[in-house]
Amino acid sequence: MEPSALRKAGSEQEEGFVEPPRRVAELGMVSNLRRSNSSLFKGWRPQCPFGNDKQESLSSWIPENIKKKECVYFVESSKLSDAGKVVCQCGYTREQHLEEATKPDTFQGTRWDPKKHVQEMPTDAFGDIVFTGLSQEVKKYVRVSQDTPSSTIYHLMTQHWGLDVPNLLISVTGGAKNFNMKPRLKSIFRRGLVKVAQTTGAWIITGGSHAGVMKQVGEAVRDFSLSSSYKEGEVITIGVATWGTVHRREGLIHPTGSFPAEYILDEDGQGNLTCLDSNHSHFILVDDGTHGQYGVEIPLRTRLEKFISEQTKERGGVAIKIPIVCVVLEGGPGTLQTIYNATTNGTPCVVVEGSGRVADVIAQVANLPVSDITVSLIQQKLSVFFQEMFETFTESRIVEWTKKIQDIVRRRQLLTVFREGKDGQQDVDVAILQALLKASRSQDHFGHENWDHQLKLAVAWNRVDIARSEIFTDEWQWKPSDLHPMMTAALISNKPEFVKLFLENGVQLKEFVTWDTLLYLYENLEPSCLFHSKLQKMHHVAQVLRELLGDFTQPLYPRPWHSDRPRLLLPVSHIKLNVQGVSLRSLYKRSSGHVTFTMDPVRDLLIWAIVQNRRELAGIIWAQSQDCIAAALACSKILKELSKEEEDTDSSEEMLALAEECEHRAIGVFTECYRKDEERAQKLLIRVSEAWGKTTCLQLALEAKDMKFVSHGGIQAFLTKVWWGQLCVDNGLWRVTLCMLAFPLLLTGLISFREKRLQGVSSPVARARAFFTAPVVVFHLNILSYFAFLCLFAYVLMVDFQPTPSWCECAIYLWLFSLVCEETRQLFYDPDECGLMKKAALYFSDFWNKLDVGAILLFVAGLTCRLIPATLYPGRVILSLDFILFCLRLMHIFTVSKTLGPKIIIVKRMMKDVFFFLFLLAVWVVSFGVAKQAILIHNERRVDWLFRGAVYHSYLTIFGQIPGYIDGRSRAPWEKQERGWKGAARGLFQVNTLTSRCRSLLPDSYTFQQVQEHTDQIWKFQRHDLIEEYHSRPAAPPPFILLSHLQLFIKRVILKTPAKRHKQLKNKLEKNEEAALLSWEIYLKENYLQNQQFQQKQRPEQKIEDISNKVDAMVDLLDLDPLKRSGSMEQRLASLEEQVAQTARALHWIVKTLRASGFGSEVDVPTLASQKAVEEPDTELGGRKKMEEPGDSYHVNARHLLYPNCPITRFPVPNEKVPWETEFLIYDPPFYTAERKDAAAMDPMGENPMGRTGLRGRGSLSCFGPNHTLYPMVTRWRRNEDGAICRKSIKKMLEVLVVKLPLSEHWALPGGSREPGETLPRKLKRILRQEHWLSFENLLTRGMEVYKGYMDDPRNTDNAWIETVAISVHFQDQNDAELNRLNSNLHACDSGASIRWQVVDRRIPLYANHKTLLQKVAAEFGAHY
């Protein structure tokens, strides 16, 4: 088809989709042909827009739904074009207008008005765009009218352009012209911005031009090789620019779309216009029908960003709104307007200090009180930062800037100033995240093979510096998939720096790790690796990992059937990689269609690195992990198990060192979490991790014997919380003991509980159950029971041991039987389903369990002998010895004590050394005894006498007891002749014994010192076992525990109910809650890693770099403007003066109180201001969300620049100019009075009692002067399903009746203005049945008036304002008849209206002035707000 035929076809198609009127359609077609005669006819490329379904769909949908703006009336302007031609008021020349526009009949003789003389027509510029000579990547663009609905543009981007809904929207604004930026600050900005975009899948919205901040963003995207053709890690950069300021835009025009349009970036010939940036992926070109007018896109961009931020995206089953953040660099008047619009719409802003102009002005005053931001101060700042154009600032413009900056700073929760190296901020990404959290608390190509070969060489040389400087440059844009083969090579050859480099340049582990990749990695394990040999024996990775992690975990990989292809079996012969050998690209070409096969690919890669003991590689991968605490603890467990089997000593020590490092990482992240939120950090401990075999962090730490982790204060606090059950931790033991001995004391409030429902005395059964099931109570009851058992046992042995067992002895038998049942229960208690053999092995691995079994078996033996009359006495001896074992069991009971527990551990550890030295001592004792016996006594044949002479007598000699006759036997005559031999031998024996005892003391002292250092950790680690034992132990002590055992027997054996671990020690969270918790953990892990990086910079090898940075910083300080430094000093001095003044007031109050001989009233105590702005709202009766600074007590809502529901803009009125008494010569507010049917025609004019508002007239109110309104606030207590009142932060929670009318974005109180002579407001009548009006009037008369007076409303003007009466109608009882009658009579008259009971909270979507009234009601009832 010839081009002419195509043009004809295009014209015919255009005529088909254009709507009437016919004349406008013809004008639009001619306009298209006239404006594009250079590009459409001369440079138009042959193309077939109908050959592609997507292009055909786009060519039909866009003109029908998206319009452009066209001037239809030529009025000559006094200005000339750049070429010296006559132009219209719209900026276009006569030739660029329609023929009908130059001689219109309709508008003859009228002045040019853009509202009348600029009309919408179907757009003629859309499709694909390619930047000639720069990149072959195809971008998207569209020309839209400035009045295009945001929903239409959003539909175009998500449905036709195929963009995924973003997780974050980053709006970058600032200087539109090129500006100088410090290299370090530029690097920080680029790195931080791209890092956030990579990790969150965000859309970045800029002005789209190749200049200023837009160029900075484009170069950041280019430098980090972020391609928009990949779903994971893709960065969408959308440029919203003004159509009338785009240079060479004629080449973008075609009636049916350009696929693609070639665009030439010509900076030299752009003049006053600007070029599009080639690094942006999508362009929205906003048209208002004018030429050369900048800033046209700002309103549409603001509306679009707000619309996108109001959309919801379902992620992990949770529908959340898309967060948005505005990042500001430099900028001029347009930037200030953008920031103002963003904060007005509730968008958080991050201002980069040091970038210049507007950003620096706002940064300088951001921490000042609003009252201190005066016109003179802003004038001074403008003279500093706008030196070149300061003379162009008029007084009215400075006033306008002051008002906007005041409004911006007033919303401090939305403003974050990024200061390089200050406030603990390390990068822009941290500032962006802090801004979001802060706001949320308030609300294959040419030359590819060549580049690939160079990268292979760099990997083979292990020269990451060459790769960074020579390969990863602006000359080539790397795709993440192109780096996957070399990523595998770097992993196998253990080159962590390259792994880090590839991760920095876009490689996503979720895309990288596939079945084939992981199988290939395990096939290339090092042959010398211990895991390699174990894998050859067990043939499956899951088996080896189950053995290393323990049987308490579930298999990480399912055992595949033989028919399954992707399985991790025995590795084949080791394959070594080299540059010219195995080609990895074929592997990825074969597996590119596979999706990720496990729930956590980072976990699989981390395990692969850990089993090979690769420290740096494991650290890099762990930094990418999601469940990072569990991952670190699991790695510690694997490494410790491998070190036990490792024969190489060096390798074993390296494994233990890496295990300790993993433990330190877990401690570091948990510390960050615990500092941030103790409750959520403790949830991480007991959360069931599906990725790590359905175990918990606490269980992994215990199995790995990570004593440092378990001894962490946060974990010990959690164990203490479990130990006390539902009791408060601060309860004294004496209180617990009293309540155990005297049960009725539970009803006196002596014991405090954590749960509020147990605080009252109305539920004695629940309090008793919570008290007696607490592990601490169970423990002390068992102690009392055990002491009673020992006392009774001792009494029977010493006093009441009869041939026939007495009732006391029978009680001992029953008692022991209950102990046997409890030990049996502990043996078979298997909530983790480890199996009987594993559980038995775990049971007998504990020393105290062995002692229990030994004592029980010895008791059975003694009982058997005791019941036989012939062996009654031996049975008594055995039982007496058994009593000693039962007494030794007390040592285990006292290990829970913080005082005795560590000492018992010291004794236990030292006993091991004592036994070795007792052996040496026994050598001397026996040798001396045998020699002595042989010398003094001849041929002694009695065995017991031999023992006495050889051992007993020698043992007594150690203590200096040397009797002449040990057993009373007279000495033989020949024994006297041997006295000399005996003395010599005894002396030698005593010397040797003394030497041995002195030697034994030295190791004991050394052991004591060593154990003493770690005793606290060991005790805290072993404390868990005792707590878990009594946590799962029945509440009743022996022998009453038999009743619990009977119940347990029925449940487990008869009813077959499986055992379950208590949620306090193992808890499986919901998917949504788990996803939120893990996201929070990831965020704090980033904080930990940043702190670690900071500490690493303090190493000696970083000294040279640190000196260089200090020199650079010194140069920057010397280059600072003196006035700029003085401004910072002024801020510090002002803050210091404020602190001194507050200190003086505090001292004055102290002196006054002391003089009065009392402590004074706490209400009068002056509160010292903190260094940071307080964000929590003030809860005083008449206060706002918070008490503003002095001077900001004037009405605020009534001075908003944009008047609601109309295009009127108020005259800016700064705080200092609000009072009528203050002189304001340039004050010239516009006049606006809306047409209302109910408006009073002859109302007198008056002045607003609160001061100037920036608008004269009646506005949208019904009359001049005060407009009286009534706001009934109908409230009730919020209750649970059981009828109990809900509480939050101790305070009760209220519910209020609210209504949402059609076309309204917020909920509102059912009040407002009233008809003349009526009592009830019109809004209330619209939701209430007429038959209930009289009854509600009676409720109002009985209600409580909480406020009467002026209301700060956006509709107020200088001559009309709202005065309101707020009446509280509260229903105390949920069964109140009036409340039930009210609920039955609620009915929305309008189909679009909604009614509901809304929880009273400061974050509810309610109008600001309504929130103020609700806050007073909440304060009146002492309720939560």
Side-chain angles (χ1 to χ4, degrees):
M1 183 180 292
E2 295 294 326
S4 60
L6 288 174
R7 289 194 296 272
K8 183 178 180 181
S11 301
E12 291 175 355
Q13 184 182 2
E14 182 186 14
E15 291 178 359
F17 61 70
V18 173
E19 299 288 340
R22 178 68 178 177
R23 184 168 180 272
V24 176
E26 292 174 353
L27 294 178
M29 183 172 61
V30 175
S31 172
N32 291 334
L33 297 178
R34 285 188 173 272
R35 291 209 188 172
S36 58
N37 56 3
S38 60
S39 61
L40 182 60
F41 292 97
K42 296 180 181 180
W44 187 76
R45 297 169 307 283
Q47 55 180 323
C48 184
F50 313 105
N52 189 300
D53 294 338
K54 285 188 177 182
Q55 295 178 5
E56 189 172 335
S57 173
L58 202 63
S59 299
S60 60
W61 184 86
I62 287 184
E64 293 177 359
N65 296 274
I66 296 179
K67 310 298 180 181
K68 67 174 183 178
K69 285 292 185 78
E70 187 78 30
C71 176
V72 295
Y73 179 48
F74 182 87
V75 177
E76 185 175 334
S77 174
S78 60
K79 299 180 181 180
L80 299 177
S81 66
D82 294 338
K85 296 183 178 180
V86 178
V87 296
C88 175
Q89 294 283 352
C90 66
Y92 287 103
T93 62
R94 186 182 299 272
E95 291 76 11
Q96 291 174 319
H97 278 69
L98 306 174
E99 294 182 0
E100 289 78 1
T102 57
K103 298 179 181 180
D105 298 331
T106 307
F107 307 115
Q108 192 69 34
T110 61
R111 298 181 59 184
W112 190 85
D113 186 359
K115 297 179 181 179
K116 299 179 180 179
H117 304 149
V118 176
Q119 298 181 0
E120 287 189 345
M121 301 179 184
T123 187
D124 57 357
F126 60 92
D128 300 337
I129 180 174
V130 174
F131 288 83
T132 305
L134 294 177
S135 174
Q136 298 298 322
E137 189 176 357
V138 178
K139 317 296 178 69
K140 302 288 185 181
Y141 78 99
V142 66
R143 173 187 180 184
V144 301
S145 168
Q146 63 176 356
D147 300 326
T148 304
S150 300
S151 58
T152 303
I153 302 177
Y154 185 74
H155 179 82
L156 169 68
M157 293 189 293
T158 56
Q159 301 299 323
H160 296 276
W161 284 354
L163 297 181
D164 292 335
V165 178
N167 297 320
L168 173 65
L169 194 64
I170 304 175
S171 177
V172 184
T173 186
K177 296 182 179 181
N178 294 326
F179 57 90
N180 295 325
M181 196 172 177
K182 297 177 183 178
R184 179 177 175 82
L185 185 61
K186 182 189 299 183
S187 176
I188 291 176
F189 168 73
R190 291 183 178 183
R191 182 176 63 252
L193 181 66
V194 175
K195 182 178 180 181
V196 172
Q198 278 183 318
T199 55
T200 61
W203 286 1
I204 300 178
I205 297 183
T206 72
S209 60
H210 190 65
V213 67
M214 295 76 71
K215 185 177 180 180
Q216 297 285 346
V217 174
E219 290 179 351
V221 174
R222 179 200 63 189
D223 292 344
F224 282 85
S225 305
L226 295 176
S227 174
S228 62
S229 61
Y230 296 91
K231 299 298 182 182
E232 289 289 335
E234 178 186 6
V235 173
I236 304 300
T237 313
I238 303 172
V240 183
T242 301
W243 168 263
T245 62
V246 176
H247 180 52
R248 290 184 174 271
R249 60 183 179 272
E250 297 84 5
L252 304 178
I253 299 176
H254 191 277
T256 58
S258 301
F259 302 97
E262 293 185 358
Y263 184 83
I264 301 176
L265 199 154
D266 181 19
E267 292 186 89
D268 296 334
Q270 65 183 7
N272 294 327
L273 303 180
T274 183
C275 296
L276 299 178
D277 185 71
S278 60
N279 296 304
H280 285 62
S281 58
H282 301 78
F283 297 94
I284 300 174
L285 309 177
V286 185
D287 185 17
D288 69 338
T290 63
H291 168 79
Q293 297 294 328
Y294 285 91
V296 173
E297 81 285 355
I298 292 179
L300 183 138
R301 177 177 170 179
T302 303
R303 296 194 307 268
L304 178 62
E305 292 173 351
K306 182 180 179 181
F307 179 83
I308 296 176
S309 64
E310 293 173 350
Q311 303 306 303
T312 57
K313 179 179 181 180
E314 186 172 350
R315 185 180 183 183
V318 179
I320 59 174
K321 286 190 175 182
I322 300 172
I324 178 175
V325 62
C326 179
V327 181
V328 182
L329 271 81
E330 213 243 2
T335 302
L336 180 65
Q337 182 65 34
T338 301
I339 302 173
Y340 179 81
N341 293 337
T343 54
T344 302
N345 294 327
T347 301
C349 295
V350 177
V351 178
V352 181
E353 187 182 33
S355 57
R357 300 209 296 172
V358 166
D360 282 357
V361 171
I362 296 178
Q364 289 282 319
V365 302
N367 294 328
L368 296 178
V370 176
S371 58
D372 292 350
I373 305 176
T374 60
V375 177
S376 60
L377 177 63
I378 298 301
Q379 185 177 4
Q380 177 189 358
K381 299 299 179 183
L382 292 179
S383 65
V384 175
F385 298 107
F386 287 82
Q387 296 180 359
E388 297 181 357
M389 57 178 300
F390 177 71
E391 296 181 356
T392 62
F393 282 93
T394 61
E395 182 180 358
S396 60
R397 195 175 184 186
I398 294 177
V399 168
E400 179 185 357
W401 278 54
T402 304
K403 175 65 173 81
K404 290 181 178 179
I405 294 176
Q406 285 181 351
D407 291 345
I408 292 171
V409 175
R410 184 177 286 112
R411 302 177 178 92
R412 298 183 190 273
Q413 71 276 11
L414 300 176
L415 185 62
T416 300
V417 178
F418 174 77
R419 297 180 173 92
E420 180 187 353
K422 297 181 181 179
D423 302 330
Q425 295 175 340
Q426 300 296 328
D427 215 335
V428 176
D429 60 319
V430 178
I432 292 175
L433 292 175
Q434 289 176 347
L436 289 171
L437 294 176
K438 185 178 176 181
S440 65
R441 287 190 293 267
S442 67
Q443 231 189 32
D444 284 334
H445 298 284
F446 177 77
H448 178 274
E449 296 298 330
N450 182 32
W451 286 99
D452 189 46
H453 179 70
Q454 293 182 39
L455 184 57
K456 287 180 179 180
L457 290 175
V459 173
W461 295 337
N462 196 21
R463 291 295 303 268
V464 70
D465 54 336
I466 294 179
R468 290 182 184 274
S469 60
E470 304 296 334
I471 300 175
F472 290 91
T473 61
D474 298 341
E475 301 179 28
W476 184 257
Q477 303 295 319
W478 286 93
K479 290 183 179 180
S481 60
D482 295 337
L483 299 175
H484 286 178
M486 288 299 101
M487 179 76 168
T488 305
L491 287 169
I492 294 176
S493 56
N494 192 19
K495 297 174 181 176
E497 290 298 326
F498 270 99
V499 174
K500 185 186 299 184
L501 176 64
F502 297 150
L503 291 174
E504 292 174 356
N505 285 274
V507 173
Q508 298 289 328
L509 294 181
K510 292 183 179 181
E511 291 286 339
F512 168 71
V513 180
T514 62
W515 273 111
D516 291 330
T517 307
L518 197 59
L519 179 60
Y520 190 81
L521 290 174
Y522 275 101
E523 288 175 348
N524 289 274
L525 286 173
E526 294 182 3
S528 59
C529 175
L530 177 62
F531 192 86
H532 183 274
S533 60
K534 293 178 70 67
L535 197 57
Q536 288 179 331
K537 298 176 182 178
M538 298 188 178
H539 304 287
H540 199 276
V541 175
Q543 287 180 320
V544 183
L545 292 178
R546 181 81 184 277
E547 181 187 81
L548 296 175
L549 285 173
D551 294 336
F552 66 95
T553 62
Q554 298 295 325
L556 299 187
Y557 305 105
R559 290 296 304 272
W561 299 97
H562 293 290
S563 59
D564 291 345
R565 176 180 171 272
R567 52 180 179 171
L568 302 177
L569 296 179
L570 174 66
V572 298
S573 59
H574 189 65
I575 302 176
K576 295 185 178 179
L577 293 178
N578 53 59
V579 177
Q580 299 177 355
V582 178
S583 176
L584 297 179
R585 188 168 302 280
S586 59
L587 170 67
Y588 286 92
K589 289 182 178 179
R590 184 176 68 252
S591 62
S592 59
H594 291 279
V595 296
T596 304
F597 64 95
T598 61
M599 66 180 70
D600 195 351
V602 182
R603 175 206 65 181
D604 303 326
L605 205 56
L606 178 61
I607 293 174
W608 178 86
I610 282 293
V611 297
Q612 297 181 93
N613 197 22
R614 295 182 173 179
R615 176 178 169 273
E616 296 183 7
L617 197 59
I620 295 172
I621 300 173
W622 178 83
Q624 306 289 326
S625 61
Q626 187 176 22
D627 196 354
C628 53
I629 297 179
L633 296 173
C635 291
S636 176
K637 169 66 174 174
I638 293 173
L639 289 166
K640 289 182 178 181
E641 293 297 327
L642 287 174
S643 66
K644 297 177 182 178
E645 303 181 26
E646 182 60 56
E647 297 178 356
D648 187 4
T649 305
D650 294 338
S651 298
S652 178
E653 292 178 355
E654 290 176 359
M655 288 180 179
L656 292 177
L658 181 55
E660 186 177 0
E661 184 178 340
C662 293
E663 182 181 1
H664 280 295
R665 288 174 183 162
I667 294 173
V669 177
F670 182 77
T671 302
E672 292 285 341
C673 297
Y674 190 72
R675 289 174 181 172
K676 197 74 175 178
D677 192 329
E678 297 181 6
E679 184 177 353
R680 298 181 76 179
Q682 291 175 356
K683 279 186 179 181
L684 286 172
L685 290 177
I686 59 175
R687 179 191 64 87
V688 176
S689 176
E690 297 289 341
W692 292 99
K694 297 183 178 180
T695 185
T696 64
C697 294
L698 183 60
Q699 202 168 5
L700 282 170
L702 293 169
E703 292 293 331
K705 292 183 173 54
D706 291 333
M707 295 186 183
K708 293 181 181 179
F709 182 82
V710 179
S711 62
H712 188 277
I715 299 176
Q716 291 301 309
F718 168 73
L719 293 178
T720 303
K721 181 180 178 182
V722 175
W723 178 245
W724 284 89
Q726 299 184 44
L727 306 181
C728 289
V729 180
D730 54 356
N731 285 315
L733 286 178
W734 64 272
R735 297 183 181 180
V736 176
T737 306
L738 283 178
C739 291
M740 286 193 304
L741 298 177
F743 169 75
L745 291 177
L746 285 174
L747 302 178
T748 63
L750 183 64
I751 295 294
S752 57
F753 296 83
R754 286 204 306 267
E755 296 186 11
K756 303 304 178 185
R757 61 181 183 85
L758 299 175
Q759 292 291 351
V761 297
S762 59
S763 55
V765 177
R767 291 170 63 90
R769 180 181 179 86
F771 176 78
F772 285 104
T773 55
V776 62
V777 178
V778 176
F779 171 76
H780 285 90
L781 287 175
N782 278 269
I783 287 180
L784 296 177
S785 172
Y786 198 76
F787 272 109
F789 168 73
L790 291 179
C791 293
L792 186 61
F793 198 180
Y795 172 79
V796 169
L797 289 175
M798 295 186 299
V799 179
D800 195 21
F801 198 84
Q802 306 295 335
T804 302
S806 62
W807 67 270
C808 292
E809 192 171 352
C810 292
I812 292 178
Y813 301 157
L814 179 63
W815 218 310
L816 186 74
F817 178 72
S818 66
L819 294 177
V820 172
C821 293
E822 175 58 24
E823 295 299 324
T824 305
R825 184 198 66 82
Q826 293 182 20
L827 177 62
F828 289 96
Y829 178 67
D830 188 16
D832 297 324
E833 300 179 358
C834 298
L836 181 60
M837 298 301 296
K838 179 64 177 178
K839 187 63 182 177
L842 292 174
Y843 177 82
F844 286 105
S845 63
D846 185 70
F847 169 78
W848 301 109
N849 289 336
K850 296 176 184 178
L851 183 63
D852 290 340
V853 173
I856 292 172
L857 293 178
L858 190 61
F859 188 91
V860 173
L863 178 62
T864 304
C865 294
R866 185 254 182 279
L867 296 178
I868 301 174
T871 57
L872 178 63
Y873 182 74
R876 183 174 185 175
V877 172
I878 295 174
L879 291 176
S880 300
L881 296 176
D882 193 38
F883 179 80
I884 299 175
L885 295 182
F886 279 113
C887 288
L888 291 177
R889 189 64 171 81
L890 288 173
M891 295 179 65
H892 177 53
I893 295 177
F894 291 129
T895 54
V896 74
S897 172
K898 192 172 184 179
T899 305
L900 296 178
K903 302 300 183 291
I904 294 175
I905 293 173
I906 293 176
V907 173
K908 183 179 177 182
R909 290 297 181 93
M910 292 178 61
M911 286 298 293
K912 296 180 180 180
D913 292 334
V914 170
F915 278 116
F916 288 106
F917 288 99
L918 285 177
F919 172 77
L920 298 177
L921 184 62
V923 172
W924 290 105
V925 171
V926 174
S927 61
F928 173 76
V930 172
K932 187 266 304 178
Q933 183 75 8
I935 295 173
L936 299 180
I937 301 176
H938 297 280
N939 300 328
E940 179 62 66
R941 297 186 180 278
R942 293 172 294 180
V943 177
D944 54 340
W945 285 80
L946 285 174
F947 178 79
R948 288 186 179 186
V951 179
Y952 183 54
H953 186 211
S954 303
Y955 177 74
L956 291 177
T957 306
I958 298 176
F959 303 98
Q961 298 181 7
I962 312 173
Y965 301 97
I966 297 177
D967 49 10
R969 185 175 61 86
S970 59
R971 186 176 298 168
W974 55 269
E975 294 181 5
K976 299 179 180 179
Q977 302 173 1
E978 305 295 338
R979 185 174 301 177
W981 291 99
K982 179 180 178 182
R986 185 175 63 248
L988 180 62
F989 169 70
Q990 289 180 344
V991 171
N992 290 330
T993 302
L994 182 61
T995 304
S996 298
R997 293 180 64 186
C998 292
R999 289 177 180 175
S1000 67
L1001 292 176
L1002 294 177
D1004 284 346
S1005 62
Y1006 173 75
T1007 302
F1008 179 82
Q1009 292 177 358
Q1010 271 200 330
V1011 176
Q1012 180 70 20
E1013 296 176 358
H1014 306 286
T1015 299
D1016 189 60
Q1017 291 183 4
I1018 300 172
W1019 171 73
K1020 289 179 178 179
F1021 180 80
Q1022 295 182 352
R1023 178 171 173 252
H1024 169 269
D1025 296 335
L1026 188 67
I1027 292 176
E1028 185 177 16
E1029 175 185 348
Y1030 284 94
H1031 184 267
S1032 60
R1033 195 184 186 107
F1040 306 105
I1041 200 174
L1042 289 174
L1043 300 176
S1044 300
H1045 292 154
L1046 180 60
Q1047 178 189 7
L1048 191 64
F1049 178 81
I1050 295 174
K1051 290 177 62 178
R1052 299 289 181 268
V1053 179
I1054 299 178
L1055 300 179
K1056 306 293 183 181
T1057 303
K1060 294 182 179 180
R1061 184 178 291 271
H1062 198 276
K1063 286 187 176 181
Q1064 281 189 291
L1065 295 177
K1066 194 171 185 178
N1067 187 19
K1068 183 176 177 58
L1069 303 178
E1070 297 291 336
K1071 291 184 179 180
N1072 300 339
E1073 185 180 3
E1074 184 178 23
L1077 191 64
L1078 289 179
S1079 299
W1080 178 70
E1081 182 187 15
I1082 291 172
Y1083 169 69
L1084 294 178
K1085 178 197 67 177
E1086 294 296 331
N1087 288 349
Y1088 165 74
L1089 291 177
Q1090 288 182 356
N1091 293 333
Q1092 290 297 110
Q1093 291 176 0
F1094 177 76
Q1095 295 176 3
Q1096 289 177 1
K1097 292 180 179 179
Q1098 306 303 319
R1099 294 181 177 180
E1101 56 267 18
Q1102 295 291 331
K1103 292 297 183 180
I1104 297 178
E1105 185 177 354
D1106 292 341
I1107 294 174
S1108 176
N1109 293 336
K1110 290 179 181 179
V1111 172
D1112 294 340
M1114 185 62 67
V1115 172
D1116 293 340
L1117 289 175
L1118 294 175
D1119 291 342
L1120 280 175
D1121 194 319
L1123 292 177
K1124 195 172 181 181
R1125 284 182 290 166
S1126 64
S1128 176
M1129 186 63 67
E1130 288 176 1
Q1131 292 184 16
R1132 296 182 180 181
L1133 291 175
S1135 177
L1136 181 61
E1137 289 175 358
E1138 182 181 359
Q1139 293 292 330
V1140 170
Q1142 291 175 348
T1143 304
R1145 290 195 296 269
L1147 292 175
H1148 175 74
W1149 175 83
I1150 293 174
V1151 173
K1152 181 180 179 181
T1153 304
L1154 292 176
R1155 287 178 179 176
S1157 299
F1159 295 102
S1161 175
E1162 294 183 358
V1163 179
D1164 298 331
V1165 180
T1167 303
L1168 294 179
S1170 60
Q1171 295 297 330
K1172 295 184 179 180
V1174 180
E1175 298 178 4
E1176 292 299 323
D1178 191 13
T1179 54
E1180 295 183 3
L1181 292 180
R1184 292 185 168 278
K1185 287 186 177 180
K1186 61 180 180 183
M1187 290 298 293
E1188 302 279 358
E1189 297 87 349
D1192 198 29
S1193 58
Y1194 307 110
H1195 48 196
V1196 176
N1197 297 328
R1199 291 185 291 129
H1200 286 171
L1201 293 182
L1202 296 178
Y1203 195 81
N1205 301 323
C1206 78
I1208 298 297
T1209 301
R1210 297 179 186 265
F1211 190 91
V1213 182
N1215 277 19
E1216 57 188 303
K1217 302 297 184 181
V1218 173
W1220 294 106
E1221 299 81 9
T1222 304
E1223 185 179 5
F1224 198 10
L1225 299 178
I1226 65 170
Y1227 184 62
D1228 186 19
F1231 184 89
Y1232 173 68
T1233 296
E1235 297 181 0
R1236 294 175 58 109
K1237 296 181 180 179
D1238 57 347
M1242 299 298 294
D1243 288 335
M1245 301 283 285
E1247 286 187 346
N1248 192 307
M1250 291 298 292
R1252 299 182 177 93
T1253 64
L1255 184 67
R1256 294 184 297 111
R1258 181 170 44 82
S1260 59
L1261 298 178
S1262 58
C1263 63
F1264 288 95
N1267 289 254
H1268 298 283
T1269 60
L1270 173 66
Y1271 282 97
M1273 289 172 287
V1274 185
T1275 58
R1276 67 182 184 184
W1277 295 117
R1278 178 175 176 83
R1279 300 178 183 271
N1280 296 326
E1281 295 180 357
D1282 56 356
I1285 298 177
C1286 298
R1287 294 177 180 267
K1288 188 173 183 180
S1289 301
I1290 305 176
K1291 294 184 178 181
K1292 298 179 181 180
M1293 300 182 67
L1294 282 173
E1295 286 184 337
V1296 63
L1297 186 66
V1298 294
V1299 60
K1300 187 176 183 180
L1301 299 178
L1303 304 178
S1304 177
E1305 298 180 358
H1306 293 80
W1307 291 83
L1309 296 173
S1313 58
R1314 293 171 286 184
E1315 299 285 353
E1318 297 290 338
T1319 305
L1320 298 182
R1322 286 172 292 184
K1323 190 182 296 184
L1324 182 62
K1325 291 182 178 181
R1326 297 172 66 178
I1327 65 170
L1328 199 64
R1329 299 183 189 274
Q1330 186 173 0
E1331 54 268 22
H1332 192 66
W1333 289 358
L1334 182 60
S1335 177
F1336 197 87
E1337 291 179 3
N1338 295 331
L1339 288 177
L1340 290 177
T1341 57
R1342 291 178 295 178
M1344 175 180 60
E1345 183 179 299
V1346 295
Y1347 180 76
K1348 182 177 182 180
Y1350 180 86
M1351 174 173 282
D1352 185 13
D1353 193 276
R1355 297 170 293 175
N1356 292 351
T1357 67
D1358 289 351
N1359 311 118
W1361 59 92
I1362 294 178
E1363 294 183 0
T1364 187
V1365 176
I1367 298 178
S1368 172
V1369 178
H1370 180 67
F1371 296 99
Q1372 189 74 24
D1373 189 1
Q1374 61 178 342
N1375 298 320
D1376 193 301
E1378 292 291 340
L1379 176 61
N1380 296 331
R1381 189 179 301 112
L1382 174 63
N1383 287 329
S1384 62
N1385 284 277
L1386 290 176
H1387 174 71
C1389 299
D1390 298 333
S1391 58
S1394 302
I1395 313 169
R1396 73 177 182 186
W1397 289 93
Q1398 172 70 49
V1399 178
V1400 176
D1401 189 87
R1402 65 187 179 91
R1403 304 190 185 192
I1404 58 177
L1406 209 66
Y1407 287 106
N1409 47 12
H1410 294 187
K1411 284 186 178 182
T1412 304
L1413 298 176
L1414 273 182
Q1415 185 178 5
K1416 297 177 181 180
V1417 173
E1420 189 71 29
F1421 291 104
H1424 165 75
Y1425 179 75

